[in-house]
Amino acid sequence: MILTPSSFASALGLTALRGATLAEVDAAAALQHRTDRKYLVPSARARDLVDRLAESHHVLDLSGRRTTSYHSTYFDTAELGAWRAHVQRRRRRWKVRTRLYAEDGLCRVEVKTKDGRGATVKHALRAPARAYGQLDAQAAEFVDDVLVRAGIPVTTADLAPSAEIRYVRAALADLDHGTRVTLDGLLSCHRDDRTAALDSGHVLVETKGGAQPAPADRQLLRLGGRLVSLSKYIVGQSLLTPGLPDNDVRRLARTHFRLTRDATPAQHLERTHAA
């Protein structure tokens, strides 16, 4: 099954699920402090998963739309400190990004860190859409505060746009148990004039919940899914930045990603860093 932007929702069977509003999903499963588990599966297997979750999960429905196009610009140091912290599996890992929800014209500044038990903690700040791809004074203050409290020795003065990730996402939520599942397709990573794109026959599935595996994890294992350590940003940098050391992420990504050159480089990566 080959996915396209227009066919993503119907190809995965999302149109048959019960819908839920953003307010309902946030009330039941906002999950700013959570454990993430990731699976890279063929799109047909992702469709099977959706079918199996239909009785327990709702799909996020935004006025009839059941997918959203995400654009995320990641910020890193000149030495790619965020990338290296992840690849080297350091306890204090972090990511800083601006995220644009394309159809809705909404933007957020997000900082992700790890707590002492290895769980993901996400902090977010609303921002105007025009601020996508940069860190203005308000965003810089927010990012610096989060990083200081997490014990990360980095400030926004050290950061500049480093890569952009684009994909289409559907979000499912178990409103009774407060867990979520996201399905990301048509994933591409961009840096300068180069692109690394996930093959269109695969979907990155993420479960977001507590320390114990959720029902969706059990269903994925029954379908033959295997856990992968695959960060979109880490994949992008690993494949697109010359001279980086080889690593497990790159070896995994080479199986499912293809490299191309863009006719028009991503302009936002040329913007200046924090104001």
Side-chain angles (χ1 to χ4, degrees):
M1 184 192 307
I2 303 300
L3 301 178
T4 66
S6 60
S7 72
F8 190 79
S10 59
L12 295 186
L14 300 173
T15 53
L17 266 64
R18 296 167 295 170
T21 66
L22 181 59
E24 289 173 323
V25 171
D26 282 347
L31 297 173
Q32 299 300 88
H33 190 287
R34 71 204 188 199
T35 298
D36 296 339
R37 298 176 177 87
K38 302 180 182 181
Y39 307 80
L40 190 60
V41 302
S43 51
R45 194 167 299 168
R47 169 64 183 257
D48 290 341
L49 174 67
V50 170
D51 290 343
R52 294 186 180 204
L53 297 180
E55 291 188 5
S56 58
H57 287 64
H58 292 66
V59 61
L60 175 62
D61 187 296
L62 300 166
S63 300
R65 193 184 77 244
R66 298 197 161 189
T67 63
T68 298
S69 300
Y70 281 53
H71 296 177
S72 297
T73 294
Y74 285 79
F75 296 79
D76 211 335
T77 66
E79 299 79 20
L80 298 182
W83 181 90
R84 295 181 187 280
H86 186 100
V87 169
Q88 296 169 5
R89 300 184 183 278
R90 297 179 193 167
R91 185 171 64 88
R92 297 191 184 278
R93 297 181 225 169
W94 55 277
K95 289 181 187 140
V96 174
R97 68 190 178 206
T98 57
R99 170 167 283 177
L100 181 69
Y101 301 83
E103 291 88 351
D104 305 300
L106 300 177
C107 182
R108 300 204 312 178
V109 181
E110 298 182 345
V111 184
K112 296 175 74 173
T113 61
K114 294 283 187 180
D115 69 8
R117 296 172 295 178
T120 300
V121 184
K122 185 166 74 172
H123 308 263
L125 174 72
R126 288 285 297 270
R130 65 179 181 278
Y132 172 68
Q134 57 188 314
L135 299 174
D136 60 18
Q138 182 182 17
E141 182 180 0
F142 166 75
V143 171
D144 287 342
D145 179 64
V146 173
L147 293 177
V148 166
R149 288 189 285 111
I152 307 296
V154 174
T155 70
T156 49
D158 306 315
L159 303 179
S162 184
E164 184 183 51
I165 311 297
R166 305 172 192 165
Y167 53 95
V168 176
R169 166 168 287 185
L172 312 184
D174 183 336
L175 302 184
D176 293 328
H177 297 92
T179 59
R180 284 196 292 127
V181 181
T182 58
L183 301 101
D184 297 340
L186 306 166
L187 168 64
S188 60
C189 314
H190 306 263
R191 178 180 171 92
D192 301 325
D193 64 343
R194 299 182 299 278
T195 291
L198 176 66
D199 76 74
S200 58
H202 278 76
V203 174
L204 180 62
V205 180
E206 299 184 38
T207 65
K208 306 167 191 292
Q212 298 301 317
D217 293 288
R218 294 191 285 273
Q219 292 292 351
L220 280 159
L221 293 174
R222 292 187 186 109
L223 289 168
R226 294 185 178 182
L227 283 168
V228 295
S229 176
L230 197 158
S231 158
K232 301 178 186 71
Y233 172 64
I234 304 307
V235 165
Q237 289 291 17
S238 296
L239 294 178
L240 299 176
T241 303
L244 291 179
D246 205 9
N247 56 78
D248 292 340
V249 172
R250 182 184 291 166
R251 287 189 285 272
L252 171 66
R254 280 174 175 162
T255 305
H256 298 290
F257 285 74
R258 68 182 188 280
L259 299 176
T260 62
R261 285 194 175 272
D262 295 335
T264 304
Q267 297 298 316
H268 67 276
L269 295 181
E270 300 173 6
R271 296 177 184 172
T272 56
H273 54 247

